[in-house]
Amino acid sequence: MFTYILDEDTELRPLEPAHARHIYQLIDQSRSYLRQWLSWVDATTSVQASEDYVRAALTQSMENGGFTAGIWYKDQLAGIIGFHEINWNHRTVGIGYWLGENYQGHGLVTSALRVMVDYALLELNLHRVEVRCATGNKRSRAVPERLGFILEGIIRETELLPSGYVDHAVYGMLQQEWKLKR
Amino acid sequence: MFTYILDEDTELRPLEPAHARHIYQLIDQSRSYLRQWLSWVDATTSVQASEDYVRAALTQSMENGGFTAGIWYKDQLAGIIGFHEINWNHRTVGIGYWLGENYQGHGLVTSALRVMVDYALLELNLHRVEVRCATGNKRSRAVPERLGFILEGIIRETELLPSGYVDHAVYGMLQQEWKLKR
Amino acid sequence: MFTYILDEDTELRPLEPAHARHIYQLIDQSRSYLRQWLSWVDATTSVQASEDYVRAALTQSMENGGFTAGIWYKDQLAGIIGFHEINWNHRTVGIGYWLGENYQGHGLVTSALRVMVDYALLELNLHRVEVRCATGNKRSRAVPERLGFILEGIIRETELLPSGYVDHAVYGMLQQEWKLKR
Amino acid sequence: MFTYILDEDTELRPLEPAHARHIYQLIDQSRSYLRQWLSWVDATTSVQASEDYVRAALTQSMENGGFTAGIWYKDQLAGIIGFHEINWNHRTVGIGYWLGENYQGHGLVTSALRVMVDYALLELNLHRVEVRCATGNKRSRAVPERLGFILEGIIRETELLPSGYVDHAVYGMLQQEWKLKR
Amino acid sequence: MFTYILDEDTELRPLEPAHARHIYQLIDQSRSYLRQWLSWVDATTSVQASEDYVRAALTQSMENGGFTAGIWYKDQLAGIIGFHEINWNHRTVGIGYWLGENYQGHGLVTSALRVMVDYALLELNLHRVEVRCATGNKRSRAVPERLGFILEGIIRETELLPSGYVDHAVYGMLQQEWKLKR
Amino acid sequence: MFTYILDEDTELRPLEPAHARHIYQLIDQSRSYLRQWLSWVDATTSVQASEDYVRAALTQSMENGGFTAGIWYKDQLAGIIGFHEINWNHRTVGIGYWLGENYQGHGLVTSALRVMVDYALLELNLHRVEVRCATGNKRSRAVPERLGFILEGIIRETELLPSGYVDHAVYGMLQQEWKLKR
């Protein structure tokens, strides 16, 4: 029911259990595409699995103060973006995202990430936001690069995908840097 | 961050922990007004109490499938509206609400309740929505009456307020009735 | 082992896990009769289901200060009566009951309810007791009416039975009224 | 509310939270007497402590299938008797009891224990009941001896009382033995 | 990884989940031997069951301050020895142990028990250690007897083995006695 | 009681609650030194705080399959080393450590880390071990460098110390690399 308008075609909507079936369909439509970069695709074999995911995300996010949202494009679910667990002691957080194959190329994630970083660094007053992408995932890496994140390191063989281990590019954005960019 | 636009001045925003301080201020500004009809006002003695309330509401609502939202008017928190626990066996739910003293008279709760009933009976496909008001609370009773709810009974001395026991007027709206009204 | 004597033939005995098999048999003997008015009959397909029910009732009642009891007639389990969750803030409670088909007509529930209301309003010092019956369930409605409860409302289509939605007649008894009746 | 009649003056009543104040008073009246043999007397410094005890006993007993009861004499709480945790694998259970100083000498515990052993070995079909008493506590030891329990051992320095360590006399009764005695 | 050297061939190693498969194999190799005296052998039908046991033992021991260890002989798991729940109020604890059939006759349990008693009575400063053996289990009883434990009683028919009920010999060792022996 | 011998003066001993007082003393002796690099030093104001830490570490480690150990030098507690939460999906783990001021300069952490990496990559068969140090903490950084870890990135302003935000140097070691080094 709730929404955040990104532009006339695009909105963020906070996950709710009723979205599970949209999530499952989006995954199911582009399995071979998504499993290149997402380790959990093969384990998502039913709407129930997506509903479990939604409930886990809601519980984690709500207890911790963050949230996970669907990226909706022309009233279709196009992808997911969300905060990982906020570290309130050090005031840092990671953000993760993915997009269905047919929704690439419209800058959807870039607009979504911009708004999430605003929320994290300006609303929640966090100090640092981190995005990690597999090094070979060019499209994913382009998003933080476009927003001016700094590449801080290449963490080697830290994620196991169906195709084998991949390295992570770690991108960071600090609160003071983000304020200067606006 | 998320919102549901009611009109150009008014929005619903789902509760989040960061709202606790707005809730506490709204209560604190009109304690003598609110305690006439709300039993928990005197126990709300700190922002922490409001934050505990937010977390309990988030946990309950999210596990159960409903939600609680702030009613925001001209970017100020004006009141709260939310689903009680949904009974999924019988597909029924109650809705509760309250408004700060200075925000009366703009029809804010009426617009908010209309949207909540839409969500319950059309989105969630529930069968029945119930609203209960203290019989002496004229303003509160006017809201379901304006939307066409049926007065189904007067439950005697069922709520203990600082001023003593009050009766509850019970209003009901069924899915088939609501569809006809639209 | 424990008991409350209602008359020479009739006792209340607090539920214990060993009663599960008697409960299941009583339900199983009069399924078609009971499912007219009880939504959970069809889901009670084994002694284990009844034992789960007993444990849930014991846990709820004991934590909350109420209890659930079997109505025993000539040493046979005839039915069940119990407190719903006590609202200690407002000092109100609901009571529910049902009787096997073969035990109708002896006034068993009326004597049992009288004792439960005594306990709630005089021992526990509650302010209000509520009983809700499907409007079409004449026998069930006769019980609070016989004890002088007031009919306070007809809550429409609030319970889903195998035969469809039914209305609830809500009966209330206040502490001060009950004291006058004794 | 519920009861088990032992004789015209004496009943067992299952513990309920409302009994906490009677328990506390009974302990408080004979502290110096009770602390000779009960290690927890000095820690029972308020009605709240007794209420916590009642809730813990209810939770443990109910989950496990046993119970704890007050021994009531002429409508006064005289003492407590209860099952320890039942071992359902081996079908064994211990029973513990204590009596206020002014209620000694009426055989109250003996009648109560007899009924508890009946319940354990005949109703619950357990194989063995055990009673443990400090070796110096003559009155307490007389109870299982009077009922024909067998002294099976003296467990040395196993309980720390305010006066120092004491030995335990362990008494056992088997199902087949109890059946012969009746 | 961690160890306590008993002699050049023998060590104690605290249980860890990775040991589950060694435990299961040891049980599986001598089922008919072990089930004579251990009630849980028949229920141990998979490595998973042993892993569940390890996790339960770790949780219990760690919360309570004791531990359970494997007895390793020439780098093979030979048996298990561990503390039961420590009673910190009375400063008493029980110790249990078992050995695979092929590892009998090397005094492994005697050395292990000696070290456990040292830890309990000297490190943890407990007052009393107890060992219980089925009366017919000569090998098991020889262990506490060799270390000077006192036989304090014969608890009748208290454990149900596949072959029927057995009596327990209870052996006790007090802190002051142990200090004299060293 | 259990140990892992590093050399004739140095051992690892798995944490147990009885170590809490040694941990507290070690922290309390070199507060001004430790708070340069450890964010939790100021919050460790009592032995109880250290005991809470031990129990939390035991619970986390044991459930997850890792452990935390004290580094003991000449029978004195010199520091702590432990596994962070193991990611069993990707088979990666972090290791953290600290040493009291007076125990620097003996290579204690280097020997301890070597053994922990052996355990992680060879016993637990993990794929990757990670160590993170504040960039300004030369002594801490020297440890993974001495063992051949690769510096993979500098994560900016990610930890808040009493003196302000610091950057993290991230060091990684892969299983295949470690096997080559041995």
Side-chain angles (χ1 to χ4, degrees), chain F residues 56-132:
Chain F
L58 288 172
T59 300
Q60 188 253 300
S61 298
M62 286 302 164
E63 285 175 357
N64 184 244
F67 60 80
T68 303
I71 305 171
W72 294 74
Y73 180 69
K74 298 189 175 173
D75 225 37
Q76 302 290 316
L77 182 70
I80 299 282
I81 189 164
F83 291 111
H84 299 321
E85 196 174 351
I86 298 171
N87 184 326
W88 287 102
N89 289 328
H90 301 298
R91 306 195 75 81
T92 61
V93 72
I95 297 179
Y97 49 78
W98 59 271
L99 211 60
E101 189 169 13
N102 301 326
Y103 297 95
Q104 305 288 344
H106 302 289
L108 300 181
V109 176
T110 304
S111 337
L113 181 59
R114 184 181 291 115
V115 159
M116 301 284 281
V117 176
D118 269 353
Y119 185 79
L121 298 181
L122 307 181
E123 286 283 309
L124 296 180
N125 193 28
L126 300 182
H127 187 75
R128 172 189 163 84
V129 170
E130 190 171 300
V131 171
R132 298 175 65 135

Side-chain angles (χ1 to χ4, degrees), chain B:
Chain B
M1 171 164 155
F2 295 99
T3 191
Y4 182 93
I5 307 289
L6 290 171
D7 63 43
E8 60 179 15
D9 287 330
T10 324
E11 304 169 42
L12 295 182
R13 298 182 193 164
L15 284 195
E16 42 184 278
H19 295 167
R21 123 190 110 78
H22 300 278
I23 297 172
Y24 180 70
Q25 284 166 8
L26 183 62
I27 293 167
D28 205 41
Q29 278 160 21
S30 42
R31 284 189 176 276
S32 59
Y33 172 76
L34 292 172
R35 71 195 296 281
Q36 286 181 275
W37 302 117
L38 299 172
S39 60
W40 44 261
V41 169
D42 292 349
T44 306
T45 57
S46 66
V47 174
Q48 185 58 50
S50 293
E51 193 172 325
D52 292 348
Y53 159 73
V54 171
R55 289 192 191 280
L58 288 173
T59 301
Q60 188 253 301
S61 298
M62 286 302 165
E63 285 176 356
N64 185 243
F67 60 82
T68 304
I71 304 171
W72 293 74
Y73 180 69
K74 299 188 174 172
D75 226 38
Q76 303 290 315
L77 182 71
I80 299 280
I81 189 164
F83 291 111
H84 300 320
E85 195 175 350
I86 299 171
N87 183 327
W88 287 103
N89 289 328
H90 301 299
R91 306 195 75 80
T92 61
V93 73
I95 296 178
Y97 48 79
W98 59 271
L99 211 59
E101 189 169 12
N102 302 327
Y103 297 95
Q104 305 287 344
H106 303 288
L108 301 181
V109 177
T110 304
S111 338
L113 181 60
R114 185 181 291 116
V115 160
M116 301 283 280
V117 176
D118 269 354
Y119 185 79
L121 299 180
L122 308 180
E123 286 283 309
L124 296 180
N125 192 29
L126 300 182
H127 187 76
R128 172 189 163 85
V129 169
E130 189 171 300
V131 171
R132 299 174 67 137
C133 312
T135 48
N137 192 345
K138 299 286 153 56
R139 287 192 153 162
S140 188
R141 294 182 63 172
V143 179
E145 288 171 356
R146 217 171 281 137
L147 294 181
F149 277 66
I150 304 293
L151 176 64
E152 298 175 335
I154 303 292
I155 308 302
R156 299 171 311 142
E157 303 197 15
T158 195
E159 185 181 15
L160 182 57
L161 292 176
S163 57
Y165 273 97
V166 293
D167 298 349
H168 272 184
V170 179
Y171 293 93
M173 174 62 70
L174 306 179
Q175 192 190 52
Q176 65 266 34
E177 295 168 346
W178 189 249
K179 285 179 174 170
L180 287 177
K181 283 190 200 299
R182 297 184 91 222

Side-chain angles (χ1 to χ4, degrees), chain C residues 1 3-4 16 55 115 119, chain D residues 1 3-4 16 63 115 119:
Chain C
M1 172 165 152
T3 192
Y4 181 96
E16 42 184 278
R55 289 192 191 280
V115 160
Y119 185 79
Chain D
M1 171 165 152
T3 190
Y4 182 94
E16 43 184 279
E63 285 176 357
V115 160
Y119 184 79

Side-chain angles (χ1 to χ4, degrees), chain E residues 83 95 112-123 129 131 147 149 173 178:
Chain E
F83 290 111
I95 297 178
L113 181 59
R114 185 181 291 115
V115 160
M116 301 282 281
V117 176
D118 268 353
Y119 185 79
L121 298 181
L122 307 181
E123 286 284 308
V129 169
V131 170
L147 294 181
F149 278 66
M173 173 62 72
W178 189 250

Side-chain angles (χ1 to χ4, degrees), chain C residues 1-4 12-14 16-17 55 58 62-65 67 69 115-116 119, chain D residues 1-4 12-14 16-17 55 58 62-65 67 69 115-116 119:
Chain C
M1 172 165 152
F2 296 99
T3 192
Y4 181 96
L12 296 182
R13 298 182 193 164
E16 42 184 278
R55 289 192 191 280
L58 288 173
M62 285 304 165
E63 285 176 356
N64 184 245
F67 60 81
V115 160
M116 301 283 280
Y119 185 79
Chain D
M1 171 165 152
F2 295 99
T3 190
Y4 182 94
L12 296 182
R13 297 181 193 165
E16 43 184 279
R55 290 193 190 280
L58 288 173
M62 285 305 165
E63 285 176 357
N64 185 243
F67 60 81
V115 160
M116 300 283 281
Y119 184 79

Side-chain angles (χ1 to χ4, degrees), chain A residues 27-51:
Chain A
I27 292 167
D28 206 41
Q29 279 160 20
S30 41
R31 283 187 179 278
S32 60
Y33 172 75
L34 292 172
R35 69 196 296 282
Q36 287 181 275
W37 302 116
L38 299 171
S39 59
W40 43 261
V41 168
D42 292 349
T44 306
T45 57
S46 66
V47 174
Q48 185 58 49
S50 292
E51 192 171 326

